[in-house]
Amino acid sequence: MATIKLEVVSPDKMVYSEDISMLIVRSTAGDLGIMPKHAPLVAGLVPQAMRIKKEGTEELIAVAGGFVEVQPEKITVLASAAETKADIDAARAQKSYERAQKRISSKAADVDMARAEASLKRAMARLQVSGKNIH
Ligand code: ATP
């Protein structure tokens, strides 16, 4: 099966570097399924659980935001933060989720709604990757 190299880079490390068969990411313009021979592109990413398909298995990586760049031989995800399941502290993500929920539902004048919503999305992505249910 055809593969393409995927590198996921966060500010402090290379989070993932493997040959994969497909990457499914949510860009600011919508969902993208990227397979070998995909046309070159650069797109902004929203907070999400990015899906990687490889040898019949699927792995998730939480991405806080950043960019995806597709070149003929390589996909690069330049992430503001990215974590695999093993790297996620689920309790921290749960607390972050609850904090953001509280801020959003308070509707207080001093709450930066866009910031709270972005924080909520980051926490949801981390909880999804960690396999924990949100409650
Ligand atoms: P928090 O509210 O818990 O700080 P956040 O969404 O504000 O979360 P970010 O600004 O996206 O956090 O990330 C800051 C750093 O902390 C990054 O290096 C990121 O990988 C790491 N990080 C954030 N949340 C978690 C988590 N639940 N588990 C592991 N690492 C995390």
Side-chain angles (χ1 to χ4, degrees):
M1 191 194 250
T3 60
I4 184 165
K5 174 90 167 211
L6 169 65
E7 286 188 352
V8 181
V9 186
S10 77
D12 51 338
K13 65 174 176 176
M14 175 79 78
V15 175
Y16 187 94
S17 177
E18 304 267 345
D19 292 325
I20 65 156
S21 45
M22 187 175 186
L23 172 69
I24 301 167
V25 287
R26 180 152 295 179
S27 80
T28 52
D31 287 345
L32 295 170
I34 304 165
M35 294 194 284
K37 299 196 165 63
H38 192 286
L41 72 83
V42 174
L45 297 176
V46 298
Q48 65 186 287
M50 191 171 78
R51 287 159 59 197
I52 299 165
K53 291 184 191 287
K54 190 191 166 204
E55 289 162 0
T57 64
E58 187 174 283
E59 190 179 335
L60 300 178
I61 294 185
V63 177
F67 295 91
V68 61
E69 179 191 38
V70 182
Q71 294 171 297
E73 306 297 330
K74 189 165 103 173
I75 307 169
T76 307
V77 173
L78 265 182
S80 49
E83 305 93 29
T84 59
K85 182 174 181 176
D87 285 333
I88 291 177
D89 176 344
R92 175 177 167 180
Q94 180 69 36
K95 280 193 197 128
S96 188
Y97 176 81
E98 286 164 12
R99 212 163 43 236
Q101 281 281 40
K102 216 179 267 178
R103 284 196 182 114
I104 291 164
S105 58
S106 79
K107 296 194 174 76
D110 62 345
V111 170
D112 179 339
M113 233 7 128
R115 187 174 161 193
E117 275 162 12
S119 170
L120 186 75
K121 284 189 194 145
R122 292 196 297 276
M124 286 171 74
R126 288 176 177 129
L127 288 168
Q128 190 183 342
V129 172
S130 75
K132 297 279 186 295
N133 289 323
I134 298 165
H135 38 228

